Structures are given as C-alpha cells and as structure tokens.
Amino acid sequence: MRVDKPIAVVSLILAWHVYAFSSSAVAGDEPAPRSGSIGAPIWPPSGPVLESVAARQDLLYSKRPSMHGSPTWIFPLDLLSTPASLVPRSRSDLQSDANVGSGSTQSPALFAVLSNTFEGGSVALKHGEVLFQGGAFVSASAGIQRESLKKTGKSEKFSSTVTDQIDLPAAAISIAGRIMPGMWLGFFREWRRSFSKTTNEVKVSGRTGLNEVASRRDMARTALGFEYQSQPFHLGLEVSTDNDDRLPSRTYSLPGRLAFGRSYWIGIGIKRTDADDKINSELSSVTTYEVSLGKQLEQVALEIGTTRQSGHLHSDAGEGSSKANILFIRAGWGEMVGLRFLGRLSIKSFATENSNHIVDKGKVFSVDLGLSRVR
C-alpha cells in the first residue's frame, strides 16, 4: 500500500514527541529540564532555523531583501506613497500625537504685542497589504487632526482675544509596485475636509463683544514616490502637491539612512516646500535639513537628531524670512515580524517675519506615539 510522504513525516514527528514525553515521565513523572533533556525540542528555534523555515513558508521571502542584521528596520522612512519599511505580508498602525506651544506676535499695526498659545493633536489608523506575491503594496488610512491657536492682546482699557480652531478629518490610499527586489514606485492620494471656527472677543471699559465665523472647505493631496530598501541603504524620493484654494503648495523630499555594521546608522533628510498664500498674496519657499544618529540593540532602537528650517517670503509689500530649529529623540521596541512600539519627543523653536513686518516667535513641544503590527 502506498503512503504519501507528508503523512509519513507527520507520523514520525508525532511518534517522536510521544517517545520523548514518555521517557521523561518514567524518569520522574515530570518533563526533563530544557538544558538537560536529550532529543527534546528547543523553543524558540535558532536564527538559522527560523530563516530556513521562513524561506520555505513565506512566498515573498525570495522576492524581498533580507533586513536581518540591518539597524534601520524599526523606524519607517518619512514617505507617503511607498511601503516606507520592510513588510513581509501586512502592516497595521495606530498613530497619535499631541502638541503644545506658546509665543508672541508683534506688528507695527498692533496696539500691543500679542501673547499666543497653541494646542493640537491627531489620531490615525492605517493598514497595508502586500499583494500579487510581493509585486504590489496597497494601504488605506483614516484620521482626524485638531489645532487651536489663541492670540491675546491687552492694554489698560482694551483687550482682544482671537481663537482659531480647525478640525481636519482625512482619508487616504496609496498603491505601490515593486519594479525589482527592494525597489518601489508608489502613488498617494489624500482627501481632507477643514472645519474652522474663528472667535473674536473684545473687551472695552468693562463691556464685552463676541463674534464667531465658521467655514468649511475641501482639500486634496497627491504624491508620487520612489523607495529603495537594502541592508546598508534605505532611501526615498517623493514629490507631493497640496491642492488647497487658500494655500496651494508643492513639496520635494529626499529622506534616507546609511547603516554602519549591525548597530548604527546615520539618518539624512532634505525637503523643500513652495507655497502660495492666496489670502496674504505672499509666496514662500522653505528648505528643511535633518541629520540623526541611531543605534539598534537586540529589540530596542534609539535615535537622536536635529532639524533646521530656513525660508524666504516675498510679496508686493516686500521680503520676509523664516527659520526654525528642532531637536528630537525617538525610541522603538519590537520585532521585525510582530508588535512594535514607537515614541518621539521633540522641541521646536521658530521665528518668522513676513513681508508686512509681522514677527511671530515661539516654541512647540510635541509627543508622538505609535503601535504597529507587522506580519
């Protein structure tokens, strides 16, 4: 009688487990310790065994670069249109952030220097799947962002408080294709709806006047990107266009990382944004440079870096400038395939003088938290 080979192999494995368990029970009615048992299964298997199992069971294994030993895998690259990190089968993300800041506004047309306070936060869900045996990556996301800016000015008999509050629900999709191992081309599309409300409260000689204006508008953003994944290099190039009736803009970004051995990497990033402020009839261009240093431990990664922004503003009224400096530190813990926890702390100081000689200065503190599941 003919017996199929898979059934024979399963039968031998079951018989071996029964023999190992019965031998340990006879010796003392307890399983033998892991370190002293002869022929007992070892769990978890060693690294080479896991790699061998993955090669046989993961259809995508031979079609993606191995990032084992590379220290840059735990943090996704700053890209919208491509996977941004190694994804064997799927990736699910829960991301949130909170921002708080303060500053001042000074203008020749104002009766006093305004005191500013800023608060904001967002939450977003995202899920992506690898399709067509590693040939494509499709993801979708949804989230909401809230921002609030309060400006207060006072004199002996007069005070004014202007509060701007904006809610930005958004949904997005991205589709990327693998043109060769580790190399992706992608497309991103996002739809946003802005619900804004401006409240103006004026107090003069003990009397209070209140005025509120609400508005709604739709916006969209499109991005095209390129990404290359390998052990020593992780690079990206992306161009995005923001279709906003009030502030249309275009951004060019080039993020990347270079690994040194199995533990360290250097992060680099260059970004330029050109915008047209329709309300103030002002053109602006901002260039951003970022440098960071990271270290990957067995399951924990740490990174510290700095970002510098410098910009130029132009209108018929004259010229202006902007600058900002950001210091950040972020940490990650998790597995290449499994759960990952990510966190980031940053402080930003900025100063802007537009073409109408209005000067804004301030600092913003930010906390970002993320939970990812990679399969």
Side-chain angles (χ1 to χ4, degrees), residues 164-213:
D164 292 320
Q165 181 174 299
I166 301 176
D167 290 319
L168 284 169
I173 60 170
S174 66
I175 302 173
R178 182 183 59 83
I179 58 178
M180 61 182 297
M183 190 173 295
W184 296 85
L185 292 178
F187 168 82
F188 170 86
R189 180 70 171 179
E190 181 186 50
W191 297 269
R192 290 172 293 167
R193 175 163 289 181
S194 171
F195 298 92
S196 62
K197 182 175 68 173
T198 300
T199 303
N200 191 354
E201 182 179 355
V202 180
K203 293 183 179 180
V204 182
S205 301
R207 296 184 178 182
T208 301
L210 187 66
N211 181 40
E212 290 186 353
V213 178

Side-chain angles (χ1 to χ4, degrees), residues 57-313:
Q57 295 184 354
D58 188 353
L59 297 176
L60 313 179
Y61 188 84
S62 62
K63 298 184 179 181
R64 60 178 171 85
S66 175
M67 299 293 281
H68 180 71
S70 175
T72 65
W73 57 265
I74 198 166
F75 297 124
L77 213 58
D78 186 16
L79 295 169
L80 299 171
S81 56
T82 57
S85 66
L86 187 69
V87 182
R89 293 186 181 275
S90 68
R91 180 181 180 121
S92 302
D93 299 285
L94 172 61
Q95 298 175 335
S96 63
D97 67 76
N99 312 289
V100 60
S102 61
S104 64
T105 298
Q106 186 175 4
S107 171
L110 296 175
F111 66 93
V113 176
L114 301 182
S115 176
N116 305 330
T117 57
F118 172 84
E119 295 178 352
S122 68
V123 61
L125 290 170
K126 183 177 181 180
H127 180 76
E129 289 279 348
V130 175
L131 304 176
F132 305 115
Q133 297 186 349
F137 180 78
V138 179
S139 68
S141 64
I144 187 170
Q145 178 181 356
R146 166 168 285 193
E147 297 180 355
S148 177
L149 174 63
K150 180 183 292 186
K151 295 188 175 186
T152 302
K154 294 181 180 181
S155 65
E156 294 182 359
K157 298 182 179 181
F158 179 86
S159 69
S160 174
T161 301
V162 179
T163 303
D164 292 320
Q165 181 174 299
I166 301 176
D167 290 319
L168 284 169
I173 60 170
S174 66
I175 302 173
R178 182 183 59 83
I179 58 178
M180 61 182 297
M183 190 173 295
W184 296 85
L185 292 178
F187 168 82
F188 170 86
R189 180 70 171 179
E190 181 186 50
W191 297 269
R192 290 172 293 167
R193 175 163 289 181
S194 171
F195 298 92
S196 62
K197 182 175 68 173
T198 300
T199 303
N200 191 354
E201 182 179 355
V202 180
K203 293 183 179 180
V204 182
S205 301
R207 296 184 178 182
T208 301
L210 187 66
N211 181 40
E212 290 186 353
V213 178
S215 64
R216 188 189 77 179
R217 74 181 193 275
D218 293 328
M219 299 170 287
R221 180 167 51 163
T222 304
L224 297 174
F226 163 84
E227 179 183 358
Y228 177 68
Q229 303 171 352
S230 69
Q231 281 192 334
F233 300 103
H234 192 183
L235 303 173
L237 174 63
E238 194 167 66
V239 179
S240 63
T241 302
D242 203 334
N243 298 319
D244 184 352
D245 292 339
R246 298 184 182 180
L247 190 66
S249 64
R250 177 167 293 179
T251 301
Y252 308 86
S253 60
L254 179 65
R257 299 192 186 106
L258 172 63
F260 293 93
R262 294 175 175 266
S263 299
Y264 293 94
W265 77 86
I266 290 180
I268 56 174
I270 302 175
K271 182 183 295 185
R272 178 185 172 92
T273 300
D274 298 319
D276 183 4
D277 189 342
K278 299 294 186 179
I279 296 179
N280 298 312
S281 300
E282 187 173 59
L283 300 175
S284 65
S285 62
V286 178
T287 304
T288 303
Y289 305 93
E290 181 175 296
V291 178
S292 63
L293 175 64
K295 179 176 176 60
Q296 176 74 53
L297 304 176
E298 184 176 355
Q299 290 182 317
V300 178
L302 300 173
E303 184 180 28
I304 184 170
T306 179
T307 302
R308 178 173 176 81
Q309 297 176 341
S310 60
H312 177 75
L313 300 91

Side-chain angles (χ1 to χ4, degrees), residues 2 48 158 256 260 280 321 359-360 366:
R2 180 177 177 272
F158 179 86
F260 293 93
N280 298 312
S321 64
V359 179
D360 285 295
S366 301

